[in-house]
Amino acid sequence: MTIDPTPVAPVAPPVDVSPSGRRPAPTSTSSRATRILGALSLAGIVALAVFGLAITPPDAQLGETIRILYMHVPTVSAAYVAFIVTAVGSVLYLWKRSEFWDLLAASSAEVGVLFFALTIFNGMLWGKITWGVFWRWEPRLTTTTVLFLTYLGYLAVRRIPTSVRTRATVSAVIGILAVVNIPITHKAVDWWRGLHQEKTIFGTVDPEMQGTQLFTAYLGLTVFLLLFAWLVIHRFRLAWLTERAEERSLDDAIAARRAEGVEEVAP
Amino acid sequence: MIRDVLLVARKDLRLEWRSRVGVGQVLPFALLCVLLFAFALDVDRGVLQEATSGLFWVVVLFATVLVVQRAFAIEADDGVLDALRLSGLAPSAVYLGKVVAITVELLALEVVLWLAVAVLYDTTLRGWGLLAATVVLATLGAAAAGATYGVVGLRLRGAETLLPLLLLPLLAPVLIGATSASDVALGRSAGPGWPWAAMLGIFSGVYLLLGSVLFRPLMEDP
């Protein structure tokens, strides 16, 4: 064994050495890509507010209430995208059995529920102005509420303490059953309200929207899809880190107990 | 396959026959609901007659939650689930057997319940063909979705209170379809009733298929 004569610079001790010797976890869920995505979505929201509230003219039929639609349509669209992502993640989890798909499905469902809550809220605001009451059994709003409750159930299942694998399997099954229910609920509620056609949020939008109105509608859709992607990526990374933190605290606890045993045995 | 399905269904029905949980607990609860609705809604203004089908199907959904819970509670103790796993029965056969047993129990309950609402809510039962089709298809759909969620409750300790939240939003289309079809059958509303029955049939078919496929990971996962 040869001894290297050159003096070695003292290595700075790791900031956070856990008993199991693991490296410290990242302290943030952001990366260069998500910072750009976040800046784009925030700038987009500002632009949407300016276009939706100030630049676009009031609608010929809907008047000023069309401004709510610039947010309502994007939130509901993003929510449906979210639940499709959840369903795809659920199917792929059952097939591949990888943590990635499970956590992606979970993160996407959480953001989807948030967007559904926003949709119901701004739908009710629209209702208050148009119908004079916050709630009527308008088919789209009713369907959204039923599905909102369905996915609250999905999130509640994920909060039940159990093994990671059981939780992933059970929630994957629920994610699949819930998405299949979306078209069935849509159809059923439509038929249910079929005899009571009234002014609906989507039914009255002028199909020949053009100019700044059309631009704002597409801007809203783009912005909220960007926002959705941004939130899901962060939520996914947070979920991933939570899993790592749980594993690590278990490893640390085992290592600490082992160290205690060594101390006792040592003379 | 069919032999296995019937085997599981017969086992469940025999357990029910001996323990009488459905007859002794779920059925009285359902009848209690019929009374409670009368207290909650004015009995003298004809609200009950008007709402008979809707109230009937709400009670059936509540009963479904209880029957499903019971159907899987009997598998929870003494490692019965493991025994079932080791029995060599296909998971889909176990699932379909459960669905058959739950459907039979609920159908028996519904017959008594129809008689109860006919008497207590002063409703004349008619439109027998449509009514029978609605009852069978809606019950099958509720059992098909219910059996899938029942095993979820079995896998997750402490999820028993979650079953209504999971199951009832999923059964919203069944409630809508069954109520509308029954209204037509009973002459409470005009319009075609058979499309509703067809919707119930599609619902049942979809969830029977999904349940048969998804029961395997639910049951076999360690």
Side-chain angles (χ1 to χ4, degrees), chain A:
Chain A
M1 182 173 140
T2 55
I3 296 166
D4 189 358
T6 50
V8 178
V11 179
V15 189
D16 171 25
V17 182
S18 64
S20 58
R22 288 190 180 228
R23 295 175 64 83
T27 52
S28 155
T29 54
S30 69
S31 62
R32 193 185 158 81
T34 58
R35 274 193 286 271
I36 294 171
L37 199 55
L40 277 178
S41 13
L42 291 180
I45 287 173
V46 173
L48 182 63
V50 171
F51 268 93
L53 295 176
I55 295 179
T56 51
D59 191 67
Q61 290 174 25
L62 289 168
E64 300 287 349
T65 65
I66 193 174
R67 305 188 192 286
I68 294 178
L69 298 198
Y70 295 135
M71 181 166 171
H72 183 81
V73 177
T75 48
V76 74
S77 311
Y80 281 117
V81 170
F83 297 135
I84 290 167
V85 171
T86 298
V88 171
S90 300
V91 170
L92 287 173
Y93 173 77
L94 289 181
W95 183 22
K96 304 273 185 194
R97 297 283 176 185
S98 85
E99 189 187 16
F100 174 86
W101 292 114
D102 174 48
L103 294 181
L104 179 67
S107 313
S108 184
E110 217 170 286
V111 179
V113 165
L114 172 74
F115 279 148
F116 252 177
L118 280 175
T119 303
I120 295 168
F121 176 70
N122 55 39
M124 283 168 69
L125 290 183
W126 186 88
K128 180 69 182 166
I129 300 167
T130 311
W131 309 318
V133 287
F134 281 113
W135 191 264
R136 266 198 197 169
W137 297 97
E138 193 264 311
R140 290 283 81 78
L141 222 47
T142 310
T143 308
T144 307
T145 310
V146 173
L147 297 174
F148 173 71
L149 290 168
T150 308
Y151 280 93
L152 277 190
Y154 174 89
L155 295 183
V157 163
R158 297 201 65 95
R159 297 184 57 84
I160 294 177
T162 180
S163 78
V164 173
R165 195 177 156 101
T166 304
R167 185 190 68 189
T169 306
V170 167
S171 36
V173 168
I174 295 175
I176 295 169
L177 289 176
V179 84
V180 172
N181 208 34
I182 291 178
I184 301 179
T185 308
H186 258 281
K187 205 75 221 158
V189 174
D190 273 358
W191 281 4
W192 175 57
R193 297 301 294 167
L195 299 172
H196 312 266
Q197 270 307 334
E198 58 187 339
K199 207 173 186 186
T200 69
I201 293 188
F202 292 98
T204 45
V205 178
D206 187 0
E208 293 180 3
M209 225 190 217
Q210 41 180 295
T212 49
Q213 285 189 339
L214 191 66
F215 172 77
T216 312
Y218 279 112
L219 177 69
L221 214 53
T222 316
V223 166
F224 272 87
L225 288 176
L226 282 179
L227 182 69
F228 164 72
W230 185 46
L231 291 173
V232 167
I233 292 171
H234 275 289
R235 186 65 192 85
F236 173 84
R237 287 179 179 164
L238 188 64
W240 182 272
L241 286 177
T242 309
E243 296 299 314
R244 297 294 79 75
E246 270 166 26
E247 281 172 9
R248 180 174 164 170
S249 64
L250 185 66
D251 286 352
D252 285 358
I254 292 170
R257 291 300 89 75
R258 279 211 183 112
E260 277 172 20
V262 170
E263 276 163 25
E264 279 165 24
V265 171

Side-chain angles (χ1 to χ4, degrees), chain B residues 3-5 28 51 58 61 65 72 80 86 90 114 125 135 148 150 162-163 179:
Chain B
R3 199 187 65 90
D4 292 352
V5 172
V58 168
L61 290 199
V65 172
F72 287 90
V80 179
L86 294 172
W114 272 124
L125 299 184
V135 164
T148 322
L162 204 55
L163 185 62
T179 304

Side-chain angles (χ1 to χ4, degrees), chain B residues 79-92:
Chain B
V80 179
L81 186 65
D82 292 327
L84 213 53
R85 265 199 286 252
L86 294 172
S87 64
L89 293 171
S92 53

Side-chain angles (χ1 to χ4, degrees), chain B residues 43-81:
Chain B
V43 287
D44 293 327
R45 280 188 305 157
V47 181
L48 289 173
Q49 285 93 320
E50 278 303 307
T52 300
S53 335
L55 297 177
F56 173 87
W57 285 108
V58 168
V59 176
V60 169
L61 290 199
F62 289 165
T64 304
V65 172
L66 295 177
V67 169
V68 165
Q69 248 158 9
R70 169 67 187 165
F72 287 90
I74 56 177
E75 313 289 356
D77 298 327
D78 305 325
V80 179
L81 186 65

